[in-house]
Amino acid sequence: MIDFMPIKNNIQSKSAKRLAQSFGNSIACPSVVYNTDMLSNFRFSGDYTINLDWDAWLRMADMIGTFVYVPQILLQHRIHSDSATTVGLGAHARQREDLEIFGRLWPKAIAAILARLYSRSYSSNEG
């Protein structure tokens, strides 16, 4: 697995935070801690069912603040057949949402290629 921030363990630049997300959502949502003082008015978008976290990281990347990465393994990610991701894969919602978010970051043709390559990671969701 590629680390979320392979060069530094913290980044403040808006462009660097967006770049860290430009090849896919490498942040497991349950592993995130938020500074609620900095994000007091922040809300997850209702526009996504699978990628609401990736959308959130991209919107947070445009805010003042730092993304900090802790490289130690602090939790296990459990996959089960009733998870939103598993259900979303079956309904092709994840594929649509991945393409949409890649389209926010890249020209259409590149977004399509990245979404197709990124879809290879879906097999890791098999419980």
Side-chain angles (χ1 to χ4, degrees):
M1 178 176 166
I2 297 172
D3 287 342
F4 163 59
M5 295 185 300
I7 297 171
K8 295 173 54 173
N9 286 344
N10 63 72
I11 49 178
Q12 291 182 321
S13 154
K14 290 178 183 181
S15 59
K17 289 186 285 185
R18 286 181 67 82
L19 178 64
Q21 293 296 302
S22 65
F23 292 99
N25 181 9
S26 60
I27 308 172
C29 188
S31 66
V32 176
V33 177
Y34 307 95
N35 180 336
T36 55
D37 291 335
M38 295 287 293
L39 297 169
S40 61
N41 294 319
F42 185 84
R43 300 288 177 263
F44 283 91
S45 171
D47 295 339
Y48 297 95
T49 58
I50 306 300
N51 284 330
L52 59 146
D53 53 340
W54 193 8
D55 166 70
W57 316 152
L58 286 171
R59 289 186 294 125
M60 287 179 203
D62 290 333
M63 298 175 178
I64 295 170
T66 304
F67 281 10
V68 177
Y69 174 70
V70 177
Q72 292 84 10
I73 296 173
L74 302 175
L75 60 90
Q76 289 277 342
H77 186 185
R78 180 176 64 91
I79 296 172
H80 57 91
S81 60
D82 294 328
S83 74
T85 300
T86 302
V87 172
L89 284 168
H92 299 285
R94 169 128 186 225
Q95 294 85 333
R96 285 190 303 273
E97 290 183 12
D98 287 350
L99 181 58
E100 182 179 324
I101 292 183
F102 276 122
R104 288 168 46 186
L105 297 160
W106 297 98
K108 188 176 182 177
I110 294 172
I113 292 167
L114 288 172
R116 186 171 201 90
L117 290 171
Y118 193 61
S119 71
R120 293 181 180 176
S121 70
Y122 300 164
S123 65
S124 68
N125 199 73
E126 296 171 358

PDB file of all heavy atoms in Angstrom, residues 12-49:
ATOM      1  N   GLN A  12       0.717  21.283   4.767  1.00  0.00           N
ATOM      2  CA  GLN A  12      -0.147  22.438   4.970  1.00  0.00           C
ATOM      3  C   GLN A  12      -0.607  23.066   3.659  1.00  0.00           C
ATOM      4  O   GLN A  12      -1.677  23.646   3.598  1.00  0.00           O
ATOM      5  CB  GLN A  12       0.567  23.501   5.797  1.00  0.00           C
ATOM      6  CG  GLN A  12       0.787  23.098   7.229  1.00  0.00           C
ATOM      7  CD  GLN A  12       1.463  24.208   8.015  1.00  0.00           C
ATOM      8  OE1 GLN A  12       2.350  24.881   7.514  1.00  0.00           O
ATOM      9  NE2 GLN A  12       1.026  24.378   9.251  1.00  0.00           N
ATOM     10  N   SER A  13       0.188  22.949   2.633  1.00  0.00           N
ATOM     11  CA  SER A  13      -0.132  23.561   1.350  1.00  0.00           C
ATOM     12  C   SER A  13      -1.420  22.970   0.778  1.00  0.00           C
ATOM     13  O   SER A  13      -1.588  21.745   0.734  1.00  0.00           O
ATOM     14  CB  SER A  13       1.036  23.319   0.385  1.00  0.00           C
ATOM     15  OG  SER A  13       0.623  23.340  -0.942  1.00  0.00           O
ATOM     16  N   LYS A  14      -2.315  23.839   0.336  1.00  0.00           N
ATOM     17  CA  LYS A  14      -3.565  23.375  -0.263  1.00  0.00           C
ATOM     18  C   LYS A  14      -3.291  22.483  -1.467  1.00  0.00           C
ATOM     19  O   LYS A  14      -3.917  21.440  -1.635  1.00  0.00           O
ATOM     20  CB  LYS A  14      -4.441  24.564  -0.663  1.00  0.00           C
ATOM     21  CG  LYS A  14      -5.002  25.313   0.519  1.00  0.00           C
ATOM     22  CD  LYS A  14      -5.830  26.500   0.070  1.00  0.00           C
ATOM     23  CE  LYS A  14      -6.329  27.290   1.263  1.00  0.00           C
ATOM     24  NZ  LYS A  14      -7.164  28.430   0.860  1.00  0.00           N
ATOM     25  N   SER A  15      -2.350  22.889  -2.303  1.00  0.00           N
ATOM     26  CA  SER A  15      -2.068  22.094  -3.505  1.00  0.00           C
ATOM     27  C   SER A  15      -1.456  20.742  -3.140  1.00  0.00           C
ATOM     28  O   SER A  15      -1.788  19.730  -3.773  1.00  0.00           O
ATOM     29  CB  SER A  15      -1.173  22.863  -4.472  1.00  0.00           C
ATOM     30  OG  SER A  15       0.047  23.203  -3.863  1.00  0.00           O
ATOM     31  N   ALA A  16      -0.616  20.689  -2.129  1.00  0.00           N
ATOM     32  CA  ALA A  16      -0.026  19.409  -1.712  1.00  0.00           C
ATOM     33  C   ALA A  16      -1.084  18.498  -1.098  1.00  0.00           C
ATOM     34  O   ALA A  16      -1.071  17.281  -1.320  1.00  0.00           O
ATOM     35  CB  ALA A  16       1.107  19.646  -0.727  1.00  0.00           C
ATOM     36  N   LYS A  17      -2.023  19.070  -0.356  1.00  0.00           N
ATOM     37  CA  LYS A  17      -3.102  18.260   0.225  1.00  0.00           C
ATOM     38  C   LYS A  17      -3.992  17.694  -0.876  1.00  0.00           C
ATOM     39  O   LYS A  17      -4.407  16.534  -0.813  1.00  0.00           O
ATOM     40  CB  LYS A  17      -3.926  19.091   1.224  1.00  0.00           C
ATOM     41  CG  LYS A  17      -3.156  19.398   2.511  1.00  0.00           C
ATOM     42  CD  LYS A  17      -4.018  20.100   3.547  1.00  0.00           C
ATOM     43  CE  LYS A  17      -4.259  21.553   3.219  1.00  0.00           C
ATOM     44  NZ  LYS A  17      -4.990  22.270   4.292  1.00  0.00           N
ATOM     45  N   ARG A  18      -4.261  18.497  -1.907  1.00  0.00           N
ATOM     46  CA  ARG A  18      -5.066  18.005  -3.032  1.00  0.00           C
ATOM     47  C   ARG A  18      -4.291  16.956  -3.834  1.00  0.00           C
ATOM     48  O   ARG A  18      -4.847  15.949  -4.253  1.00  0.00           O
ATOM     49  CB  ARG A  18      -5.502  19.149  -3.936  1.00  0.00           C
ATOM     50  CG  ARG A  18      -6.608  19.993  -3.310  1.00  0.00           C
ATOM     51  CD  ARG A  18      -7.060  21.115  -4.220  1.00  0.00           C
ATOM     52  NE  ARG A  18      -7.728  20.642  -5.423  1.00  0.00           N
ATOM     53  CZ  ARG A  18      -9.014  20.281  -5.482  1.00  0.00           C
ATOM     54  NH1 ARG A  18      -9.755  20.326  -4.417  1.00  0.00           N
ATOM     55  NH2 ARG A  18      -9.546  19.881  -6.633  1.00  0.00           N
ATOM     56  N   LEU A  19      -2.999  17.199  -4.040  1.00  0.00           N
ATOM     57  CA  LEU A  19      -2.169  16.242  -4.771  1.00  0.00           C
ATOM     58  C   LEU A  19      -2.158  14.888  -4.064  1.00  0.00           C
ATOM     59  O   LEU A  19      -2.222  13.838  -4.707  1.00  0.00           O
ATOM     60  CB  LEU A  19      -0.738  16.773  -4.922  1.00  0.00           C
ATOM     61  CG  LEU A  19       0.241  15.848  -5.630  1.00  0.00           C
ATOM     62  CD1 LEU A  19      -0.187  15.616  -7.078  1.00  0.00           C
ATOM     63  CD2 LEU A  19       1.646  16.425  -5.573  1.00  0.00           C
ATOM     64  N   ALA A  20      -2.133  14.902  -2.739  1.00  0.00           N
ATOM     65  CA  ALA A  20      -2.130  13.655  -1.980  1.00  0.00           C
ATOM     66  C   ALA A  20      -3.408  12.850  -2.222  1.00  0.00           C
ATOM     67  O   ALA A  20      -3.417  11.633  -2.036  1.00  0.00           O
ATOM     68  CB  ALA A  20      -1.967  13.948  -0.487  1.00  0.00           C
ATOM     69  N   GLN A  21      -4.472  13.495  -2.658  1.00  0.00           N
ATOM     70  CA  GLN A  21      -5.747  12.840  -2.929  1.00  0.00           C
ATOM     71  C   GLN A  21      -6.012  12.613  -4.410  1.00  0.00           C
ATOM     72  O   GLN A  21      -7.017  12.025  -4.776  1.00  0.00           O
ATOM     73  CB  GLN A  21      -6.886  13.688  -2.357  1.00  0.00           C
ATOM     74  CG  GLN A  21      -6.894  13.750  -0.866  1.00  0.00           C
ATOM     75  CD  GLN A  21      -7.138  12.371  -0.278  1.00  0.00           C
ATOM     76  OE1 GLN A  21      -8.137  11.728  -0.551  1.00  0.00           O
ATOM     77  NE2 GLN A  21      -6.193  11.895   0.501  1.00  0.00           N
ATOM     78  N   SER A  22      -5.132  13.078  -5.280  1.00  0.00           N
ATOM     79  CA  SER A  22      -5.415  13.098  -6.711  1.00  0.00           C
ATOM     80  C   SER A  22      -5.326  11.747  -7.417  1.00  0.00           C
ATOM     81  O   SER A  22      -5.801  11.616  -8.540  1.00  0.00           O
ATOM     82  CB  SER A  22      -4.498  14.101  -7.414  1.00  0.00           C
ATOM     83  OG  SER A  22      -3.160  13.693  -7.338  1.00  0.00           O
ATOM     84  N   PHE A  23      -4.767  10.740  -6.760  1.00  0.00           N
ATOM     85  CA  PHE A  23      -4.677   9.422  -7.389  1.00  0.00           C
ATOM     86  C   PHE A  23      -5.585   8.405  -6.707  1.00  0.00           C
ATOM     87  O   PHE A  23      -5.497   7.215  -6.967  1.00  0.00           O
ATOM     88  CB  PHE A  23      -3.230   8.937  -7.423  1.00  0.00           C
ATOM     89  CG  PHE A  23      -2.376   9.756  -8.347  1.00  0.00           C
ATOM     90  CD1 PHE A  23      -1.562  10.758  -7.854  1.00  0.00           C
ATOM     91  CD2 PHE A  23      -2.432   9.559  -9.716  1.00  0.00           C
ATOM     92  CE1 PHE A  23      -0.792  11.537  -8.699  1.00  0.00           C
ATOM     93  CE2 PHE A  23      -1.672  10.341 -10.580  1.00  0.00           C
ATOM     94  CZ  PHE A  23      -0.843  11.325 -10.069  1.00  0.00           C
ATOM     95  N   GLY A  24      -6.437   8.886  -5.814  1.00  0.00           N
ATOM     96  CA  GLY A  24      -7.385   8.007  -5.145  1.00  0.00           C
ATOM     97  C   GLY A  24      -7.491   8.349  -3.676  1.00  0.00           C
ATOM     98  O   GLY A  24      -6.687   9.100  -3.131  1.00  0.00           O
ATOM     99  N   ASN A  25      -8.496   7.801  -3.051  1.00  0.00           N
ATOM    100  CA  ASN A  25      -8.736   8.040  -1.636  1.00  0.00           C
ATOM    101  C   ASN A  25      -7.948   7.028  -0.823  1.00  0.00           C
ATOM    102  O   ASN A  25      -8.360   5.891  -0.667  1.00  0.00           O
ATOM    103  CB  ASN A  25     -10.235   7.920  -1.330  1.00  0.00           C
ATOM    104  CG  ASN A  25     -10.542   8.175   0.121  1.00  0.00           C
ATOM    105  OD1 ASN A  25      -9.694   8.606   0.879  1.00  0.00           O
ATOM    106  ND2 ASN A  25     -11.760   7.899   0.513  1.00  0.00           N
ATOM    107  N   SER A  26      -6.827   7.458  -0.311  1.00  0.00           N
ATOM    108  CA  SER A  26      -5.972   6.539   0.443  1.00  0.00           C
ATOM    109  C   SER A  26      -6.167   6.658   1.942  1.00  0.00           C
ATOM    110  O   SER A  26      -5.433   6.054   2.717  1.00  0.00           O
ATOM    111  CB  SER A  26      -4.509   6.810   0.086  1.00  0.00           C
ATOM    112  OG  SER A  26      -4.181   8.153   0.425  1.00  0.00           O
ATOM    113  N   ILE A  27      -7.157   7.422   2.369  1.00  0.00           N
ATOM    114  CA  ILE A  27      -7.402   7.604   3.797  1.00  0.00           C
ATOM    115  C   ILE A  27      -8.619   6.776   4.192  1.00  0.00           C
ATOM    116  O   ILE A  27      -9.717   7.012   3.694  1.00  0.00           O
ATOM    117  CB  ILE A  27      -7.678   9.084   4.140  1.00  0.00           C
ATOM    118  CG1 ILE A  27      -6.590   9.986   3.601  1.00  0.00           C
ATOM    119  CG2 ILE A  27      -7.822   9.248   5.643  1.00  0.00           C
ATOM    120  CD1 ILE A  27      -6.907  11.468   3.733  1.00  0.00           C
ATOM    121  N   ALA A  28      -8.436   5.830   5.078  1.00  0.00           N
ATOM    122  CA  ALA A  28      -9.567   5.050   5.566  1.00  0.00           C
ATOM    123  C   ALA A  28     -10.381   5.923   6.521  1.00  0.00           C
ATOM    124  O   ALA A  28      -9.873   6.398   7.528  1.00  0.00           O
ATOM    125  CB  ALA A  28      -9.069   3.796   6.289  1.00  0.00           C
ATOM    126  N   CYS A  29     -11.640   6.150   6.183  1.00  0.00           N
ATOM    127  CA  CYS A  29     -12.484   7.073   6.942  1.00  0.00           C
ATOM    128  C   CYS A  29     -12.479   6.820   8.449  1.00  0.00           C
ATOM    129  O   CYS A  29     -12.387   7.754   9.227  1.00  0.00           O
ATOM    130  CB  CYS A  29     -13.902   7.031   6.392  1.00  0.00           C
ATOM    131  SG  CYS A  29     -14.986   8.282   7.100  1.00  0.00           S
ATOM    132  N   PRO A  30     -12.562   5.576   8.920  1.00  0.00           N
ATOM    133  CA  PRO A  30     -12.611   5.378  10.372  1.00  0.00           C
ATOM    134  C   PRO A  30     -11.300   5.722  11.075  1.00  0.00           C
ATOM    135  O   PRO A  30     -11.244   5.754  12.291  1.00  0.00           O
ATOM    136  CB  PRO A  30     -12.921   3.899  10.543  1.00  0.00           C
ATOM    137  CG  PRO A  30     -13.053   3.314   9.203  1.00  0.00           C
ATOM    138  CD  PRO A  30     -12.734   4.353   8.175  1.00  0.00           C
ATOM    139  N   SER A  31     -10.250   5.984  10.308  1.00  0.00           N
ATOM    140  CA  SER A  31      -8.953   6.252  10.917  1.00  0.00           C
ATOM    141  C   SER A  31      -8.650   7.739  11.041  1.00  0.00           C
ATOM    142  O   SER A  31      -7.529   8.119  11.353  1.00  0.00           O
ATOM    143  CB  SER A  31      -7.849   5.575  10.105  1.00  0.00           C
ATOM    144  OG  SER A  31      -7.753   6.171   8.823  1.00  0.00           O
ATOM    145  N   VAL A  32      -9.636   8.592  10.830  1.00  0.00           N
ATOM    146  CA  VAL A  32      -9.421  10.031  10.802  1.00  0.00           C
ATOM    147  C   VAL A  32      -9.845  10.671  12.112  1.00  0.00           C
ATOM    148  O   VAL A  32     -10.882  10.333  12.681  1.00  0.00           O
ATOM    149  CB  VAL A  32     -10.202  10.665   9.631  1.00  0.00           C
ATOM    150  CG1 VAL A  32     -10.082  12.176   9.637  1.00  0.00           C
ATOM    151  CG2 VAL A  32      -9.711  10.102   8.310  1.00  0.00           C
ATOM    152  N   VAL A  33      -9.025  11.597  12.566  1.00  0.00           N
ATOM    153  CA  VAL A  33      -9.349  12.408  13.733  1.00  0.00           C
ATOM    154  C   VAL A  33      -9.420  13.847  13.242  1.00  0.00           C
ATOM    155  O   VAL A  33      -8.563  14.305  12.495  1.00  0.00           O
ATOM    156  CB  VAL A  33      -8.263  12.274  14.827  1.00  0.00           C
ATOM    157  CG1 VAL A  33      -8.566  13.167  16.004  1.00  0.00           C
ATOM    158  CG2 VAL A  33      -8.132  10.827  15.265  1.00  0.00           C
ATOM    159  N   TYR A  34     -10.464  14.561  13.639  1.00  0.00           N
ATOM    160  CA  TYR A  34     -10.683  15.929  13.187  1.00  0.00           C
ATOM    161  C   TYR A  34     -10.476  16.909  14.331  1.00  0.00           C
ATOM    162  O   TYR A  34     -10.823  16.618  15.468  1.00  0.00           O
ATOM    163  CB  TYR A  34     -12.130  16.121  12.706  1.00  0.00           C
ATOM    164  CG  TYR A  34     -12.581  15.136  11.683  1.00  0.00           C
ATOM    165  CD1 TYR A  34     -13.275  13.995  12.046  1.00  0.00           C
ATOM    166  CD2 TYR A  34     -12.326  15.355  10.345  1.00  0.00           C
ATOM    167  CE1 TYR A  34     -13.702  13.086  11.103  1.00  0.00           C
ATOM    168  CE2 TYR A  34     -12.748  14.458   9.390  1.00  0.00           C
ATOM    169  CZ  TYR A  34     -13.425  13.330   9.777  1.00  0.00           C
ATOM    170  OH  TYR A  34     -13.846  12.432   8.835  1.00  0.00           O
ATOM    171  N   ASN A  35      -9.975  18.082  14.000  1.00  0.00           N
ATOM    172  CA  ASN A  35      -9.939  19.189  14.942  1.00  0.00           C
ATOM    173  C   ASN A  35     -11.253  19.940  14.752  1.00  0.00           C
ATOM    174  O   ASN A  35     -11.396  20.731  13.830  1.00  0.00           O
ATOM    175  CB  ASN A  35      -8.738  20.095  14.667  1.00  0.00           C
ATOM    176  CG  ASN A  35      -8.665  21.259  15.608  1.00  0.00           C
ATOM    177  OD1 ASN A  35      -9.658  21.692  16.179  1.00  0.00           O
ATOM    178  ND2 ASN A  35      -7.467  21.792  15.773  1.00  0.00           N
ATOM    179  N   THR A  36     -12.211  19.667  15.612  1.00  0.00           N
ATOM    180  CA  THR A  36     -13.545  20.244  15.427  1.00  0.00           C
ATOM    181  C   THR A  36     -13.554  21.760  15.625  1.00  0.00           C
ATOM    182  O   THR A  36     -14.468  22.424  15.141  1.00  0.00           O
ATOM    183  CB  THR A  36     -14.579  19.585  16.359  1.00  0.00           C
ATOM    184  OG1 THR A  36     -14.117  19.672  17.713  1.00  0.00           O
ATOM    185  CG2 THR A  36     -14.773  18.125  15.981  1.00  0.00           C
ATOM    186  N   ASP A  37     -12.552  22.311  16.296  1.00  0.00           N
ATOM    187  CA  ASP A  37     -12.463  23.766  16.390  1.00  0.00           C
ATOM    188  C   ASP A  37     -12.186  24.368  15.017  1.00  0.00           C
ATOM    189  O   ASP A  37     -12.730  25.421  14.667  1.00  0.00           O
ATOM    190  CB  ASP A  37     -11.371  24.196  17.369  1.00  0.00           C
ATOM    191  CG  ASP A  37     -11.713  23.860  18.812  1.00  0.00           C
ATOM    192  OD1 ASP A  37     -12.927  23.748  19.133  1.00  0.00           O
ATOM    193  OD2 ASP A  37     -10.783  23.707  19.618  1.00  0.00           O
ATOM    194  N   MET A  38     -11.344  23.690  14.232  1.00  0.00           N
ATOM    195  CA  MET A  38     -11.012  24.171  12.887  1.00  0.00           C
ATOM    196  C   MET A  38     -12.150  23.880  11.897  1.00  0.00           C
ATOM    197  O   MET A  38     -12.271  24.543  10.883  1.00  0.00           O
ATOM    198  CB  MET A  38      -9.731  23.510  12.374  1.00  0.00           C
ATOM    199  CG  MET A  38      -8.486  23.850  13.152  1.00  0.00           C
ATOM    200  SD  MET A  38      -7.921  25.525  12.854  1.00  0.00           S
ATOM    201  CE  MET A  38      -7.412  25.445  11.158  1.00  0.00           C
ATOM    202  N   LEU A  39     -12.954  22.879  12.189  1.00  0.00           N
ATOM    203  CA  LEU A  39     -13.993  22.431  11.254  1.00  0.00           C
ATOM    204  C   LEU A  39     -15.395  22.607  11.837  1.00  0.00           C
ATOM    205  O   LEU A  39     -16.297  21.818  11.555  1.00  0.00           O
ATOM    206  CB  LEU A  39     -13.781  20.948  10.915  1.00  0.00           C
ATOM    207  CG  LEU A  39     -12.489  20.610  10.196  1.00  0.00           C
ATOM    208  CD1 LEU A  39     -12.269  19.108  10.159  1.00  0.00           C
ATOM    209  CD2 LEU A  39     -12.497  21.178   8.799  1.00  0.00           C
ATOM    210  N   SER A  40     -15.592  23.632  12.613  1.00  0.00           N
ATOM    211  CA  SER A  40     -16.846  23.787  13.349  1.00  0.00           C
ATOM    212  C   SER A  40     -18.084  23.811  12.453  1.00  0.00           C
ATOM    213  O   SER A  40     -19.140  23.333  12.853  1.00  0.00           O
ATOM    214  CB  SER A  40     -16.803  25.037  14.213  1.00  0.00           C
ATOM    215  OG  SER A  40     -16.622  26.189  13.401  1.00  0.00           O
ATOM    216  N   ASN A  41     -17.985  24.331  11.250  1.00  0.00           N
ATOM    217  CA  ASN A  41     -19.138  24.392  10.347  1.00  0.00           C
ATOM    218  C   ASN A  41     -19.103  23.335   9.252  1.00  0.00           C
ATOM    219  O   ASN A  41     -19.927  23.352   8.344  1.00  0.00           O
ATOM    220  CB  ASN A  41     -19.240  25.784   9.702  1.00  0.00           C
ATOM    221  CG  ASN A  41     -19.540  26.846  10.731  1.00  0.00           C
ATOM    222  OD1 ASN A  41     -20.350  26.631  11.626  1.00  0.00           O
ATOM    223  ND2 ASN A  41     -18.879  27.984  10.626  1.00  0.00           N
ATOM    224  N   PHE A  42     -18.156  22.431   9.332  1.00  0.00           N
ATOM    225  CA  PHE A  42     -17.991  21.434   8.274  1.00  0.00           C
ATOM    226  C   PHE A  42     -19.053  20.343   8.391  1.00  0.00           C
ATOM    227  O   PHE A  42     -19.371  19.881   9.479  1.00  0.00           O
ATOM    228  CB  PHE A  42     -16.597  20.799   8.342  1.00  0.00           C
ATOM    229  CG  PHE A  42     -16.339  19.868   7.205  1.00  0.00           C
ATOM    230  CD1 PHE A  42     -15.892  20.353   5.990  1.00  0.00           C
ATOM    231  CD2 PHE A  42     -16.586  18.521   7.330  1.00  0.00           C
ATOM    232  CE1 PHE A  42     -15.688  19.504   4.919  1.00  0.00           C
ATOM    233  CE2 PHE A  42     -16.382  17.658   6.265  1.00  0.00           C
ATOM    234  CZ  PHE A  42     -15.927  18.158   5.059  1.00  0.00           C
ATOM    235  N   ARG A  43     -19.563  19.910   7.240  1.00  0.00           N
ATOM    236  CA  ARG A  43     -20.516  18.803   7.169  1.00  0.00           C
ATOM    237  C   ARG A  43     -20.146  17.915   5.985  1.00  0.00           C
ATOM    238  O   ARG A  43     -19.695  18.397   4.957  1.00  0.00           O
ATOM    239  CB  ARG A  43     -21.946  19.303   6.963  1.00  0.00           C
ATOM    240  CG  ARG A  43     -22.462  20.203   8.061  1.00  0.00           C
ATOM    241  CD  ARG A  43     -22.735  19.418   9.338  1.00  0.00           C
ATOM    242  NE  ARG A  43     -23.158  20.281  10.419  1.00  0.00           N
ATOM    243  CZ  ARG A  43     -22.354  20.760  11.381  1.00  0.00           C
ATOM    244  NH1 ARG A  43     -21.084  20.482  11.382  1.00  0.00           N
ATOM    245  NH2 ARG A  43     -22.832  21.517  12.345  1.00  0.00           N
ATOM    246  N   PHE A  44     -20.346  16.610   6.166  1.00  0.00           N
ATOM    247  CA  PHE A  44     -20.173  15.703   5.040  1.00  0.00           C
ATOM    248  C   PHE A  44     -21.286  15.978   4.033  1.00  0.00           C
ATOM    249  O   PHE A  44     -22.406  16.308   4.408  1.00  0.00           O
ATOM    250  CB  PHE A  44     -20.221  14.237   5.495  1.00  0.00           C
ATOM    251  CG  PHE A  44     -18.961  13.775   6.163  1.00  0.00           C
ATOM    252  CD1 PHE A  44     -18.807  13.872   7.535  1.00  0.00           C
ATOM    253  CD2 PHE A  44     -17.932  13.248   5.415  1.00  0.00           C
ATOM    254  CE1 PHE A  44     -17.650  13.456   8.148  1.00  0.00           C
ATOM    255  CE2 PHE A  44     -16.765  12.819   6.010  1.00  0.00           C
ATOM    256  CZ  PHE A  44     -16.624  12.924   7.382  1.00  0.00           C
ATOM    257  N   SER A  45     -20.974  15.825   2.760  1.00  0.00           N
ATOM    258  CA  SER A  45     -21.922  16.077   1.688  1.00  0.00           C
ATOM    259  C   SER A  45     -22.931  14.933   1.583  1.00  0.00           C
ATOM    260  O   SER A  45     -22.573  13.768   1.757  1.00  0.00           O
ATOM    261  CB  SER A  45     -21.172  16.211   0.360  1.00  0.00           C
ATOM    262  OG  SER A  45     -22.078  16.241  -0.713  1.00  0.00           O
ATOM    263  N   GLY A  46     -24.151  15.276   1.272  1.00  0.00           N
ATOM    264  CA  GLY A  46     -25.171  14.270   1.006  1.00  0.00           C
ATOM    265  C   GLY A  46     -25.187  13.834  -0.448  1.00  0.00           C
ATOM    266  O   GLY A  46     -26.012  13.017  -0.843  1.00  0.00           O
ATOM    267  N   ASP A  47     -24.243  14.363  -1.246  1.00  0.00           N
ATOM    268  CA  ASP A  47     -24.191  14.042  -2.670  1.00  0.00           C
ATOM    269  C   ASP A  47     -23.561  12.682  -2.960  1.00  0.00           C
ATOM    270  O   ASP A  47     -23.633  12.207  -4.091  1.00  0.00           O
ATOM    271  CB  ASP A  47     -23.413  15.112  -3.439  1.00  0.00           C
ATOM    272  CG  ASP A  47     -24.114  16.459  -3.410  1.00  0.00           C
ATOM    273  OD1 ASP A  47     -25.336  16.500  -3.171  1.00  0.00           O
ATOM    274  OD2 ASP A  47     -23.428  17.483  -3.610  1.00  0.00           O
ATOM    275  N   TYR A  48     -22.914  12.100  -1.952  1.00  0.00           N
ATOM    276  CA  TYR A  48     -22.211  10.832  -2.151  1.00  0.00           C
ATOM    277  C   TYR A  48     -22.697   9.795  -1.146  1.00  0.00           C
ATOM    278  O   TYR A  48     -23.028  10.133  -0.012  1.00  0.00           O
ATOM    279  CB  TYR A  48     -20.698  11.011  -1.996  1.00  0.00           C
ATOM    280  CG  TYR A  48     -20.100  11.931  -3.020  1.00  0.00           C
ATOM    281  CD1 TYR A  48     -19.897  13.273  -2.755  1.00  0.00           C
ATOM    282  CD2 TYR A  48     -19.759  11.454  -4.275  1.00  0.00           C
ATOM    283  CE1 TYR A  48     -19.369  14.127  -3.704  1.00  0.00           C
ATOM    284  CE2 TYR A  48     -19.225  12.299  -5.241  1.00  0.00           C
ATOM    285  CZ  TYR A  48     -19.033  13.626  -4.943  1.00  0.00           C
ATOM    286  OH  TYR A  48     -18.511  14.458  -5.895  1.00  0.00           O
ATOM    287  N   THR A  49     -22.696   8.535  -1.577  1.00  0.00           N
ATOM    288  CA  THR A  49     -23.029   7.451  -0.661  1.00  0.00           C
ATOM    289  C   THR A  49     -21.799   6.633  -0.294  1.00  0.00           C
ATOM    290  O   THR A  49     -21.740   6.056   0.777  1.00  0.00           O
ATOM    291  CB  THR A  49     -24.088   6.509  -1.270  1.00  0.00           C
ATOM    292  OG1 THR A  49     -23.594   5.990  -2.507  1.00  0.00           O
ATOM    293  CG2 THR A  49     -25.391   7.237  -1.505  1.00  0.00           C
TER     294      THR A  49
END
